[in-house]
Amino acid sequence: MELVDLYIHIDKVNNSIIFDFITNWLNDFEPEYECFEYPPYFGETEYETEDYKEMLSFVLEKEGRDYRFYFENKNDLKKTKGMIFINKDHSAYLGIGVNPTYEKYFTDQFIEKYKTSPIICYNGAIPDIE
């Protein structure tokens, strides 16, 4: 089943925004990967850890570091995926992948929490990242 991805765009992130999102939306989620390294996939490794929160703190520490975190939740079939995309300009997309049946329910929750409509992506698409 294809999920519907709901994202909130944050112009300038800070630790409290990100960790608030994790607490409110990704509480029961586990990271998809066991090891995190920066930069990912290429170049000489500058930082490596098995704790995604340590990597997240490292990425947020300095503008210009971009990173994508993916999470999964096998215990809740309504929302099974989570995403945190930190961009080089220190903006971010914070998202959850939801069962299409619950799209309106979670859209309404995002609107209530963030006072804006989420960016909705279908078929595994991701928001345009600068």
Side-chain angles (χ1 to χ4, degrees):
M1 165 183 43
E2 283 290 330
L3 298 177
V4 176
D5 295 336
L6 308 175
Y7 292 93
I8 293 298
H9 179 257
I10 307 297
D11 288 332
K12 287 290 179 191
V13 297
N14 62 46
N15 288 11
S16 64
I17 293 171
I18 300 293
F19 288 104
D20 179 70
F21 180 81
I22 291 168
T23 299
N24 286 302
W25 299 97
L26 305 180
N27 197 29
D28 296 331
F29 287 64
E30 294 291 328
E32 282 192 357
Y33 308 110
E34 294 178 10
C35 185
F36 304 88
E37 62 181 28
Y38 184 86
Y41 311 120
F42 64 90
E44 189 174 325
T45 301
E46 182 179 337
Y47 188 80
E48 185 173 357
T49 179
E50 292 181 1
D51 182 344
Y52 84 89
K53 288 184 179 179
E54 283 182 19
M55 179 57 76
L56 184 55
S57 292
F58 171 79
V59 170
L60 294 174
E61 185 178 280
K62 183 178 172 186
E63 195 167 322
R65 295 176 175 161
D66 61 328
Y67 208 89
R68 294 184 183 181
F69 296 89
Y70 293 95
F71 304 87
E72 59 187 354
N73 184 352
K74 296 178 181 174
N75 299 320
D76 186 350
L77 297 179
K78 293 180 270 187
K79 57 177 182 157
T80 60
K81 294 287 182 185
M83 297 77 65
I84 298 175
F85 300 157
I86 308 297
N87 304 313
K88 284 186 179 191
D89 66 358
H90 225 57
S91 67
Y93 289 96
L94 312 176
I96 57 173
V98 303
N99 181 312
T101 306
Y102 297 97
E103 177 180 351
K104 180 170 176 10
Y105 172 78
F106 286 110
T107 297
D108 291 345
Q109 283 196 347
F110 265 46
I111 291 169
E112 183 178 326
K113 172 76 175 165
Y114 299 105
K115 309 299 183 231
T116 186
S117 294
I119 299 165
I120 300 173
C121 297
Y122 299 97
N123 301 320
I126 61 173
D128 290 330
I129 298 175
E130 289 108 41

